[in-house]
Amino acid sequence: MTSPAARYVAYAGLLVLGAVTGTAGALVQAAWLPLGLLLALLGTAALFYGGMRATGNQVGLAAAGGGWLLAVIVLSLGRPEGDGLFGGGLGELLFLFGGMGAAVACATVSRLPQNTP
């Protein structure tokens, strides 16, 4: 991607995709524990690494991670009536900390290979 406009569109798309992945992961990890947790974490890590590779820099990872974190935090807040998606069990904590760990792991991988002429 060379155009700044295309790069910004990609960042916005990754932000939305991160929110969708966070929402889907929150539902899957609770429904099919423990395999659902593994599936949710693998999908999250794939999104983070793919966002970084697709954009060629770590801002793609940050955009996807920001959307994921926003969705997970909003889903964990619950409603005034007391209903919440996360019940506070071990699976929910592993999903939250595992997703954040996946973002950090993807951010600290070696630099992307640069094209040399």
Side-chain angles (χ1 to χ4, degrees):
M1 278 186 254
T2 56
S3 168
R7 198 173 291 271
Y8 292 137
V9 168
Y11 295 151
L14 284 168
L15 184 77
V16 171
L17 194 58
V20 169
T21 303
T23 303
L27 295 171
V28 167
Q29 64 85 23
W32 299 330
L33 194 68
L35 293 178
L37 177 63
L38 181 62
L39 179 65
L41 288 175
L42 286 174
T44 300
L47 171 70
F48 294 159
Y49 187 72
M52 185 177 70
R53 295 294 298 201
T55 58
N57 57 31
Q58 292 178 339
V59 180
L61 166 72
W68 179 86
L69 186 63
L70 181 67
V72 170
I73 294 299
V74 167
L75 291 173
S76 68
L77 291 177
R79 298 183 348 188
E81 293 85 17
D83 299 334
L85 186 62
F86 290 115
L90 183 62
E92 290 87 1
L93 287 175
L94 287 175
F95 177 63
L96 179 65
F97 290 125
M100 289 189 291
V104 170
C106 289
T108 57
V109 295
S110 63
R111 289 262 181 213
L112 296 172
Q114 302 295 324
N115 294 336
T116 56

